[in-house]
Amino acid sequence: MKRIVVLSGAGMSAESGISTFRDAGGLWEGHDVMEVASPEGFARNPALVQDFYNQRRRQLHEVKPNAGHSALVELEKFFEVSIVTQNVDDLHERAGSSHVLHLHGELRKVRSTGPTAAVFPWKEDLTPDDRCPDGFPLRPHIVWFGEEVPLLGPAAHITAQADVLIIVGTSMQVYPAAGLVHYKQPGVPLYFVDPNPAVVPDQYDSLEIIPEKAGAGLTTLAERLAYTRL
Ligand code: APR
């Protein structure tokens, strides 16, 4: 079965009502990244950081997957579909996607700040008083700016195996995630779905830009790919 690899970003969840980071009114407009999404910020003011993620985690109770997520699930009828997402929401999983790798962590998980770095499912607010069974404070299981991206190797390996690569809803500004496109084999079709695409024609080999939102763009693309079994 041919393998489709999808690299998704915040634009994937925009039509579900979750703000992106760098669009007008985006998350980084109202917050200082280094204050709320860095280990230094967490050390300086853990309550501020916990509150930032608690608000985003609470929102997950109110949002649901959109047509773009469903289109990727539909593709699983015809292809092996592997999703590498920069998103920390669980919308791909809730839509029914079978293989989702979270490059930047997951809102609905927390991690011990102790040596075990044990990870736990966590759906409610996290407070500075919450402790791991080993007694250490808990932190959001999120990759913060300046931290290693532990799943980069597996993500690069998956991307290198793609028969088709779809990049959707990302401004391609954050590395190493944005560099994954370079693991695409020459000649493998690359579809870039974004109403304001961050790439230009001929920037990559075999590139087709689909200047649409994820919902409509992925639905049409999924129909094309299913029909041609490309
Ligand atoms: N459908 C598809 N794409 C959309 C939509 C939509 N409905 N709405 C906006 N977009 C596009 C924007 O045009 C933009 O290119 O989504 C992209 C969002 O870009 P960013 O806000 O920069 O989000 P992302 O690329 O995922 O950010 C990468 O930066 O702050 C860190 O860790 C954070 O994972 C995040 C990383």
Side-chain angles (χ1 to χ4, degrees), residues 55-114:
Q55 288 176 44
R56 295 174 66 191
R57 194 179 300 107
R58 269 181 233 135
Q59 187 186 24
L60 293 186
H61 293 296
E62 295 139 32
V63 297
K64 59 185 191 313
N66 61 59
H69 296 101
S70 305
L72 298 181
V73 177
E74 186 66 17
L75 276 175
E76 292 193 12
K77 290 179 184 166
F78 311 103
F79 303 95
E80 280 278 314
V81 181
S82 299
I83 296 173
V84 174
T85 186
Q86 297 174 85
N87 299 339
V88 294
D89 61 57
D90 58 350
L91 294 178
H92 281 302
E93 290 91 339
R94 283 165 52 193
S97 285
S98 315
H99 308 287
V100 184
L101 181 152
H102 286 271
L103 268 180
H104 294 162
E106 299 177 65
L107 263 182
R108 286 188 149 172
K109 289 182 181 169
V110 295
R111 185 166 85 228
S112 167
T113 55

Side-chain angles (χ1 to χ4, degrees), residues 42-52 54 57 110 113 122 125-132 135-140:
F42 186 62
R44 210 172 13 255
N45 189 341
L48 176 74
V49 174
Q50 299 287 25
D51 182 54
F52 175 67
N54 286 341
R57 194 179 300 107
V110 295
T113 55
W122 200 277
D125 282 6
L126 182 63
T127 73
D129 301 334
D130 288 311
R131 286 287 180 278
C132 172
F136 285 89
L138 292 164
R139 58 164 276 180

Side-chain angles (χ1 to χ4, degrees), residues 18 46 54 63 68-70 92 101 114 116 160 164 167 176 192 202 204 220:
I18 298 180
N54 286 341
V63 297
H69 296 101
S70 305
H92 281 302
L101 181 152
T116 65
V164 172
I167 299 182
F192 198 94
D202 300 336
Y204 301 110
T220 311

Side-chain angles (χ1 to χ4, degrees), residues 9-11 15 20-23 28 86 104 169-171 174 194-195 214:
E15 289 155 273
T20 61
F21 294 96
R22 296 173 182 84
D23 287 313
W28 294 149
Q86 297 174 85
H104 294 162
T170 177
S171 63
V174 173
D194 192 312

